[in-house]
Amino acid sequence: GAGMTSATITAQTAAARPRRNVLRLVLTETKFEFLKLLRLPVYSVATLAFPLMFYLLFGSFYGNLEAQGVLASRYMVATFGAAGVLSAALFSFGVGVASERGQGWMRLKRVSPMPPIAYFLAKIGMALLFGALVVVVITAAAFLMHGVRIALLDWLSLLGVLLLGVLPFGALGLAIGYLFGPNSAPVVLNLLYMPMAFASGLWMPITVLPPVVQSVAPYLPTYHYAQLALGTVGATPLGDATRHALVLAGFAAVFLVVAVAAYKRDEGKTYG
């Protein structure tokens, strides 16, 4: 009995060790991914500074306008937070993966002991960190410049909804990163990001956009993302929250399948 118990404990300890090692790898990889991109102006400025700058700019123009039942200065906390997380997810996965593929890092990582899941989890962790920073910066600016106060539970709800956006838009970025090369991926991502953000009301209240743009918005995943975020800050969402969530889940599933297929194709081409 004692021998069996001792052997069982030893086996459980040995089984737990690889999990701890993977967790340590993910945390270490996340840390270095975050520091690398924080020191890279083309990414950190686009992800952190641009949403803040545009919030201050458009908040001055539209701050006293009412949009979906709240002042635009409050509305834009949710939508510019969404724009920042969208940028963090799209470009960290899309540009990051395409660039690392082009530089041969994926080949090196493939032959290293690090499991592929650790690499992708680190990308998710890094995008979550940048996304959280965006939300903190935007809400701080809204409070200091426009006196926008958001209750703690509402702020936590906003943070949670916005960070969940890393999953669908990270899947889209990952698919682009594996489908396109390091030179073309940034162009494709910008061509996707700019229209999606503008037409979904992420830069200015959707109610001030031309009617033709408003009619296109419900077909964009970013529109559904914005409406979920707006519901957390007291705005009246356009449409049903369950439908918004289902659209985003379906979008994430589709592009995850595309990303996995592109990943397998790339692995076979590079290493086969």
Side-chain angles (χ1 to χ4, degrees):
M4 180 64 70
T5 302
S6 176
T8 303
I9 292 173
T10 302
Q12 290 174 344
T13 303
R17 191 174 297 118
R19 290 195 293 270
R20 289 198 300 269
N21 289 339
V22 170
L23 178 60
R24 189 180 300 113
L25 278 171
V26 170
L27 293 176
T28 303
E29 188 80 3
T30 300
K31 173 186 173 182
F32 288 117
E33 281 281 332
F34 179 78
L35 292 175
K36 178 184 73 175
L37 291 180
L38 188 63
R39 295 165 181 166
L40 190 65
V42 69
Y43 180 84
S44 58
V45 169
T47 304
L48 296 174
F50 281 175
L52 174 61
M53 181 181 70
F54 286 135
Y55 177 81
L56 297 177
L57 176 64
F58 289 115
S60 300
F61 281 116
Y62 300 105
N64 294 322
L65 178 74
E66 189 172 292
Q68 294 182 219
V70 295
L71 289 177
S73 55
R74 189 178 188 88
Y75 173 104
M76 290 180 178
V77 172
T79 57
F80 275 105
V85 176
L86 170 65
S87 175
L90 277 181
F91 290 95
S92 66
F93 279 92
V95 177
V97 169
S99 175
E100 288 165 5
R101 284 175 57 229
Q103 294 170 353
W105 279 105
M106 302 305 289
R107 182 182 295 108
L108 180 62
K109 289 179 183 293
R110 182 77 169 95
V111 299
S112 73
M114 184 178 75
I117 190 64
Y119 171 77
F120 295 114
L121 288 176
K123 291 283 188 189
I124 293 173
M126 183 272 301
L128 289 172
L129 286 173
F130 266 99
L133 270 178
V134 169
V135 178
V136 169
V137 167
I138 294 294
T139 49
F143 174 72
L144 294 173
M145 300 298 295
H146 301 286
V148 176
R149 297 175 181 271
I150 301 176
L152 178 60
L153 288 179
D154 291 338
W155 186 86
L156 291 174
S157 297
L158 172 66
L159 179 65
V161 167
L162 290 180
L163 292 186
L164 282 174
V166 167
L167 299 178
F169 300 114
L172 173 59
L174 188 61
I176 298 299
Y178 273 107
L179 289 172
F180 295 90
N183 294 323
S184 54
V187 177
V188 173
L189 288 167
N190 276 302
L191 289 174
L192 290 172
Y193 173 78
M194 304 290 273
M196 285 199 306
F198 175 76
S200 300
L202 299 189
W203 290 348
M204 60 184 69
I206 196 167
T207 51
V208 306
L209 296 176
V212 65
V213 176
Q214 293 186 43
S215 67
V216 170
Y219 298 97
L220 302 173
T222 38
Y223 167 83
H224 300 279
Y225 181 44
Q227 294 308 312
L228 286 177
L230 285 165
T232 67
V233 296
T236 303
L238 302 175
D240 179 65
T242 302
R243 179 170 175 268
H244 295 319
L246 288 174
V247 168
L248 286 174
F251 180 84
V254 167
F255 278 96
L256 188 58
V257 169
V258 173
V260 169
Y263 167 78
K264 289 182 177 178
R265 185 197 67 174
D266 189 72
E267 291 289 283
K269 180 179 64 178
T270 305
Y271 311 113

